[in-house]
Amino acid sequence: MFLNIVAMSMVQVLEKGRLIRNQQPNTDSVPRKKTETRIWTEPSAKKAQAQQHAMSQSTVSDQNMNFAEQEVDLFGEEYEEEDDNNGARRSSPSSSQSSSSSSSGSSSSSSSAAASSSSDGSDGEESDGGREGGGSKSGSSGGEEEGAREVENNNQYYSNYNDSNHERGSDVYEEEEEEEEEERDLFGSDNEDYMKTTVISPHPIPVLPAMRHPNNPGRGNFGRGRWHNNRGAGLLPRPGFPPRQGYGYGSKFANGHRDERFVSELKFSKSDETLSRKCVAFQEPCELACYSRIEGGEVYFDDRSLRLFKRLISEDVGADLNEGFDTFIEKRDLGSQGFGDLLACIRGKNIPLQNMHFVTFRNNLNKILATAYMRHEHWEMGVHKRNGVVYLDVHKLPERPQSELERRRCYWGYCFESLATEDPRRANGEAIHHVDANVEYCSVIKTKLGAHRILMGAEMDCCDSTDSGRRFYVELKTNREIDNYHQEERFEKEKLLKCWIQAFLAGVPYIVIGYRDDAGRLVRTERLTTKDITQRVKMKNYWQGGVCLAFADEVLCWLYGTVKENEDYILQFAPPFTRLELLQAQSCPEAITSHVEQM
């Protein structure tokens, strides 16, 4: 755009010069004043500016103004390069340059003469002007013809230059459009790189290493080369895979060491669906005997400690379960002595054990049946086989000391049992006091699970009777008031599961639950039947009672077929809670040994 403007200005200057020369009078009669032409140049080109200034000083006559030389000075080498690149011919500018060089030589000589005579005065100056005018007159006709041809050639050149620029711009746009089309069609036949690409790659197909589960590595992976850096295990555990302690030892287990007492294990390989299809028979429990423990620890083989259920328990809603906490007597850990009392009752009632497979407390069976769904609680029990009978002894695991709030919550359960039962020693409206957790009543029950006959002792909370006089037992439980859906879900998944197992194994038909708040105040009561519990959770698919029975049958079959006569074991369910382990025990409790000797 800049070049077009400059070209148009130069054409106007040439036309003005030609008009001026046509209107100019005779130079011989009219003296001409010297003119000086200055052309703007860049400040950085000092040398070119000095030369241009010298040439402008040497210019004497306006008739011989060399516009071709101005064009060269204005555009310089770029003007020639652009013309050469565009393919335009420059015959007239080159010829004008040659003529200008000759005229410049003559003008330089005349200027030198004028410079020598300028010191003489005005007369000399006029004579010099006359000579200069005569010289210009002699070459005026030739200069006009050359100027006309130069203007015509310049006009033709600029028109060609503009046309070439226009064609050039259109070519650029066409090239950009072609590039866009090429980008849109990368897989066309005109894409040489794509056409040269072979169908089959010359590079081999990469093979990834086999994936290895971090918790179940293959055999033979011990030693150097097991780790990716070939430097062995680091000081810190591998990220994302924390070490698991006590998970076994050898090729089957990745971490920890197997217990030296290990005898056998039962893995949980069967799913709940598989166990639900297994129909396991369960015989209705039958009570054979009972015994009572009173205050002070004495045991009697009767029902003197059995309490009667208070049917109007709903009237006590709002009662404070914290009453009598100061005089509460906590339950002592009797160890094997409690199991000895059960065996003594069996001997006292002359209950035969020849056809029995297991003798245990109901608490041990509760743990086995609940493990079918609740696999996060650690437990263990003693296993001792004598005369074909397997005795399951209760083992109490060490616990951390309870806080004041935990002891108080434990007391709320015992206080609700006292509140929901008849006590002839307590008058109406009298506060609860002297609660002793060691007072208990146990029922000796016979039942059959699958192919195994079981004789067990179960502690009962209270009893009630029908109109016909038939006695039945009632379980009493306490629970925090349910406020939201999550609490209800947890209550039905865990608490109701334990309640159902405990009541179902002993044949208890009713369960009464007392709901309390965080302060220990009774909010409401609810009576549930054992049959209704299974129907309640069946709709939500939380758990199934048949799965618990099938799982327990699997455990009892494995346990009875694994243990040996006159040997002692420990059955435990410990972290990572994936199997039952049978460990070798060092001795047998004295209560079992003396019982076998007395039978």
Side-chain angles (χ1 to χ4, degrees):
M1 186 67 183
F2 176 76
L3 297 177
N4 293 335
I5 296 173
V6 174
M8 292 175 66
S9 63
M10 292 301 300
V11 171
Q12 293 177 2
V13 172
L14 291 174
E15 289 178 356
K16 288 181 180 181
R18 186 175 61 182
L19 293 175
I20 292 171
R21 284 193 297 269
N22 293 333
Q23 296 176 2
Q24 190 177 10
N26 190 2
T27 57
D28 294 336
S29 61
V30 181
R32 301 289 296 178
K33 191 177 180 179
K34 293 183 181 180
T35 59
E36 183 177 356
T37 304
R38 294 180 181 272
I39 302 175
W40 181 87
T41 57
E42 295 182 359
S44 61
K46 294 182 180 180
K47 185 176 180 180
Q49 185 177 7
Q51 293 177 357
Q52 183 177 359
H53 181 69
M55 292 175 64
S56 63
Q57 292 294 334
S58 63
T59 305
V60 178
S61 175
D62 292 337
Q63 297 177 356
N64 293 329
M65 291 179 64
N66 193 354
F67 292 100
E69 186 176 358
Q70 293 181 9
E71 293 176 2
V72 173
D73 292 336
L74 285 173
F75 301 103
E77 296 178 356
E78 296 179 357
Y79 176 69
E80 295 179 357
E81 292 177 358
E82 292 176 358
D83 292 339
D84 295 338
N85 294 331
N86 296 326
R89 299 180 61 87
R90 296 192 55 188
S91 59
S92 58
S94 62
S95 61
S96 63
Q97 287 179 4
S98 61
S99 61
S100 64
S101 61
S102 60
S103 62
S104 63
S106 61
S107 62
S108 62
S109 61
S110 62
S111 63
S112 62
S116 61
S117 61
S118 62
S119 61
D120 295 339
S122 62
D123 297 335
E125 192 176 22
E126 291 178 357
S127 64
D128 290 337
R131 284 194 298 269
E132 288 177 0
S136 62
K137 183 179 180 181
S138 62
S140 61
S141 60
E144 290 177 0
E145 294 176 357
E146 290 179 357
R149 287 195 300 269
E150 185 175 0
V151 171
E152 183 178 359
N153 291 331
N154 287 332
N155 293 331
Q156 183 179 2
Y157 165 72
Y158 289 123
S159 63
N160 294 334
Y161 178 79
N162 293 331
D163 295 338
S164 63
N165 286 334
H166 179 70
E167 293 175 357
R168 192 175 170 188
S170 61
D171 293 337
V172 171
Y173 291 125
E174 291 176 358
E175 290 177 0
E176 292 178 355
E177 292 178 358
E178 291 176 0
E179 290 178 358
E180 292 179 357
E181 291 179 357
E182 290 179 357
E183 291 178 356
R184 287 194 296 269
D185 190 9
L186 297 177
F187 303 101
S189 59
D190 54 346
N191 191 345
E192 297 180 358
D193 295 335
Y194 174 71
M195 297 303 294
K196 292 179 182 180
T197 304
T198 58
V199 178
I200 301 176
S201 176
H203 304 286
I205 299 175
V207 179
L208 298 177
M211 294 184 63
R212 186 175 302 162
H213 199 282
N215 295 330
N216 188 20
R219 297 183 179 180
N221 289 332
F222 296 94
R224 192 170 183 84
R226 180 184 177 186
W227 305 92
H228 297 289
N229 55 9
N230 293 328
R231 295 176 57 191
L235 297 177
L236 299 177
R238 301 177 67 183
F241 306 105
R244 301 168 62 183
Q245 302 296 331
Y247 186 63
Y249 180 76
S251 60
K252 295 182 180 180
F253 308 100
N255 301 318
H257 296 277
R258 175 174 289 178
D259 199 323
E260 297 178 353
R261 303 172 298 169
F262 178 81
V263 176
S264 180
E265 64 181 6
L266 175 63
K267 295 183 178 180
F268 304 150
S269 58
K270 294 184 179 181
S271 62
D272 296 345
E273 183 179 0
T274 303
L275 294 175
S276 63
R277 292 195 296 264
K278 184 179 179 181
C279 184
V280 178
F282 182 77
Q283 188 179 9
E284 182 178 1
C286 178
E287 185 178 14
L288 301 180
C290 63
Y291 66 95
S292 301
R293 190 188 306 276
I294 62 174
E295 296 180 1
E298 293 85 0
V299 177
Y300 298 91
F301 301 137
D302 52 28
D303 59 354
R304 67 182 65 185
S305 296
L306 180 61
R307 292 174 291 185
L308 184 64
F309 175 70
K310 186 169 64 175
R311 296 181 178 179
L312 301 178
I313 181 60
S314 58
E315 296 180 356
D316 293 330
V317 172
D320 188 7
L321 300 180
N322 292 286
E323 294 181 356
F325 177 72
D326 297 336
T327 59
F328 173 60
I329 301 175
E330 297 182 1
K331 193 170 186 176
R332 297 184 297 271
D333 184 14
L334 300 176
S336 298
Q337 180 181 353
F339 194 50
D341 296 337
L342 175 61
L343 298 178
C345 181
I346 293 174
R347 293 194 307 270
K349 297 297 181 177
N350 296 322
I351 299 175
L353 299 178
Q354 288 79 10
N355 296 327
M356 292 295 172
H357 297 92
F358 292 94
V359 176
T360 179
F361 273 114
R362 181 181 56 178
N363 187 21
N364 290 330
L365 295 180
N366 292 343
K367 297 175 182 177
I368 295 176
L369 268 73
T371 306
Y373 288 99
M374 302 179 62
R375 298 184 178 179
H376 59 274
E377 297 182 357
H378 184 198
W379 55 264
E380 67 177 34
M381 63 184 71
V383 181
H384 314 276
K385 191 173 185 179
R386 299 293 187 272
N387 299 326
V389 180
V390 177
Y391 297 89
L392 302 179
D393 188 17
V394 176
H395 284 189
K396 186 176 181 181
L397 297 176
E399 299 177 354
R400 61 179 179 84
Q402 291 183 343
S403 62
E404 182 70 16
L405 180 59
E406 291 175 345
R407 293 179 60 251
R408 189 174 293 272
R409 287 177 178 176
C410 182
Y411 172 75
W412 291 343
Y414 289 107
C415 182
F416 177 72
E417 291 180 0
S418 300
L419 190 67
T421 55
E422 301 287 349
D423 190 359
R425 298 175 298 176
R426 187 177 72 247
N428 292 332
E430 184 181 357
I432 298 175
H433 55 83
H434 300 294
V435 177
D436 190 354
N438 296 284
V439 177
E440 60 181 4
Y441 167 82
C442 287
S443 175
V444 181
I445 300 172
K446 179 185 71 172
T447 185
K448 184 179 181 181
L449 177 61
H452 301 93
R453 296 180 179 90
I454 302 172
L455 186 64
M456 64 180 177
E459 180 181 357
M460 298 299 178
D461 296 330
C462 61
C463 69
D464 199 354
S465 59
T466 63
D467 296 337
S468 60
R470 181 177 179 271
R471 190 177 67 179
F472 59 88
Y473 296 108
V474 179
E475 289 287 346
L476 301 176
K477 298 293 181 183
T478 56
N479 191 76
R480 186 187 179 278
E481 178 66 297
I482 299 174
D483 298 329
N484 51 52
Y485 170 77
H486 297 288
Q487 295 178 1
E488 182 180 5
E489 181 181 11
R490 183 177 181 181
F491 171 74
E492 292 178 348
K493 282 185 176 181
E494 299 182 4
K495 190 66 176 285
L496 284 185
L497 175 61
K498 293 181 178 180
C499 292
W500 177 84
I501 292 174
Q502 184 175 356
F504 179 79
L505 290 177
V508 178
Y510 295 102
I511 302 173
V512 177
I513 301 177
Y515 295 93
R516 46 88 185 170
D517 58 9
D518 294 333
R521 189 171 297 276
L522 186 63
V523 177
R524 63 184 178 94
T525 60
E526 182 183 11
R527 189 188 71 171
L528 300 175
T529 62
T530 307
K531 295 181 180 180
D532 292 342
I533 293 177
T534 56
Q535 297 297 327
R536 178 177 177 177
V537 299
K538 185 178 181 181
M539 302 299 295
K540 300 180 180 180
N541 198 22
Y542 288 156
W543 49 268
Q544 300 180 35
V547 174
C548 297
L549 295 176
F551 178 79
D553 183 63
E554 294 280 342
V555 174
L556 296 180
C557 290
W558 164 75
L559 188 62
Y560 193 85
T562 302
V563 297
K564 298 179 180 180
E565 185 68 26
N566 297 326
E567 291 192 4
D568 306 308
Y569 306 90
I570 295 176
L571 178 65
Q572 72 171 3
F573 182 60
F577 304 112
T578 58
R579 66 192 186 279
L580 293 177
E581 290 183 336
L582 187 64
L583 308 178
Q584 191 76 40
Q586 298 297 328
S587 60
C588 180
E590 182 63 26
I592 299 176
T593 303
S594 61
H595 168 74
V596 173
E597 293 176 353
Q598 297 177 22
M599 288 295 293

